[in-house]
Amino acid sequence: PYDVVVVDCLMLGALAAVENTSIPVVVLIHSSPGLMVPPGGPLERLLLGPVNKVRTAIGRAAISSIWEAWAHFPSLCTTIPELDPLATQVPASFEYVGPIFERLPPSGWRAPWPTDDSRPLVLVSFSTGRAWDQASRIRRTLDGLANSRCRVLATTGMADVTGLALPENAVLVQHVPHAEILSEVAVTVTHAGHGTVTAALAHGVPLVCLPNQTSDQPGLAAQVAALGAGLVLDGESATAADIAVAVEKILTDGSYTAAARRLAEVIAAAPGAQVAAPLPGLVA
């Protein structure tokens, strides 16, 4: 006896199943739909056949696009249109509500630098997943910034950093909540996952993106660059020197920070999670 069902957009079997019920359903699209599963894109080509096999087995009509499965229901896109190159093409049921940030208890982490240390702070934050080599990205970034005019905070996530040489200007921790640190950060070096990108931009922080070649990351990195809020490097081949040059360029050229701050205003003005309550189809 559920009152409402919230289904992640990539749980396509679950979405097919709830079409057979009368329970109100909302789809949670956790990144830019035009980057995550663009119509005709490689992920859609991979998924469409298996999804339609499942749909046929439970008596639902085949779909010609993954978006079509989402468009059956009110769909909350937890991003801003500016980060979606296909924002003008999405179905009418899609609602851009802006990023939704997790509320975490204080971590207790304290910066080791003196409070009067005026060097720019660079946050190094790569994927917490194990599917790609984040340790190499961390190592190259730390090497590149070792002799820079910056302080560096690098979060390791699940990366194996055993034996990693730590420069004198850097601190290595497994995790620090974004909200605790980003207000002090000048540049974020990242894999360009949606969570890190939007958290940085929400604080007006420009980015150096070293995307993994998967999911929405290359597209998000490209959008950040197109919006003037950061730079993109090849995540697999960028050298330590390349990363150092990119960070210094952003620190020197104020246009990147200005663009990031404009996007911070857009994110702050987004309706947020509270928009879900009055969506058509969800009001009893």
Side-chain angles (χ1 to χ4, degrees):
Y2 301 110
D3 297 310
V4 64
V5 179
V6 181
V7 185
D8 184 87
C9 62
L10 294 183
M11 302 298 289
L12 293 156
L15 283 174
V18 294
E19 284 185 40
N20 285 330
T21 75
S22 60
I23 302 171
V25 175
V26 63
V27 179
L28 185 69
I29 303 176
H30 56 262
S31 184
S32 303
L35 295 174
M36 191 162 49
V37 190
L43 186 55
E44 181 171 276
R45 293 195 297 271
L46 179 68
L47 292 176
L48 207 51
V51 167
N52 280 330
K53 186 176 180 180
V54 170
R55 293 181 64 85
T56 301
I58 63 173
R60 306 308 301 174
I63 54 175
S64 59
S65 166
I66 298 301
W67 284 11
E68 190 179 333
W70 304 345
H72 286 294
F73 313 103
S75 299
L76 302 179
C77 305
T78 61
T79 192
I80 53 174
E82 286 79 358
L83 290 176
D84 190 344
L86 302 184
T88 61
Q89 302 175 36
V90 301
S93 63
F94 288 18
E95 181 89 19
Y96 289 89
V97 301
I100 307 299
F101 300 112
E102 186 178 12
R103 293 175 181 157
L104 297 172
S107 69
W109 183 82
R110 295 290 181 269
W113 300 285
T115 55
D116 60 352
D117 191 333
S118 61
R119 291 175 297 169
L121 177 59
V122 176
L123 173 63
V124 179
S125 177
F126 291 111
S127 175
T128 56
R130 297 182 182 274
W132 294 83
D133 181 11
Q134 306 311 298
S136 170
R137 285 168 166 75
I138 294 170
R139 176 184 53 76
R140 283 177 278 146
T141 303
L142 292 180
D143 287 349
L145 299 178
N147 297 312
S148 71
R149 58 188 179 101
C150 304
R151 296 169 292 153
V152 182
L153 170 62
T155 59
T156 63
M158 302 300 290
D160 182 0
V161 293
T162 303
L164 183 71
L166 192 63
E168 291 184 359
N169 65 337
V171 173
L172 200 65
V173 296
Q174 185 173 26
H175 173 70
V176 175
H178 285 137
E180 288 188 20
I181 191 67
L182 278 168
S183 62
E184 304 172 32
V185 170
V187 182
T188 295
V189 183
T190 179
H191 65 300
H194 185 262
T196 305
V197 165
T198 54
L201 293 177
H203 287 81
V205 177
L207 303 116
V208 173
C209 300
L210 284 78
N212 300 303
Q213 293 304 306
T214 186
S215 187
D216 56 352
Q217 294 174 28
L220 278 170
Q223 283 296 106
V224 166
L227 294 165
L231 296 169
V232 183
L233 302 175
D234 187 303
E236 303 304 307
S237 65
T239 65
D242 294 333
I243 297 168
V245 168
V247 169
E248 183 61 26
K249 183 174 182 180
I250 288 178
L251 290 173
T252 304
D253 184 344
S255 67
Y256 296 99
T257 298
R261 288 175 177 169
R262 287 193 294 270
L263 290 169
E265 294 176 358
V266 174
I267 291 171
Q274 66 272 20
V275 79
L279 276 178
L282 293 181
V283 180

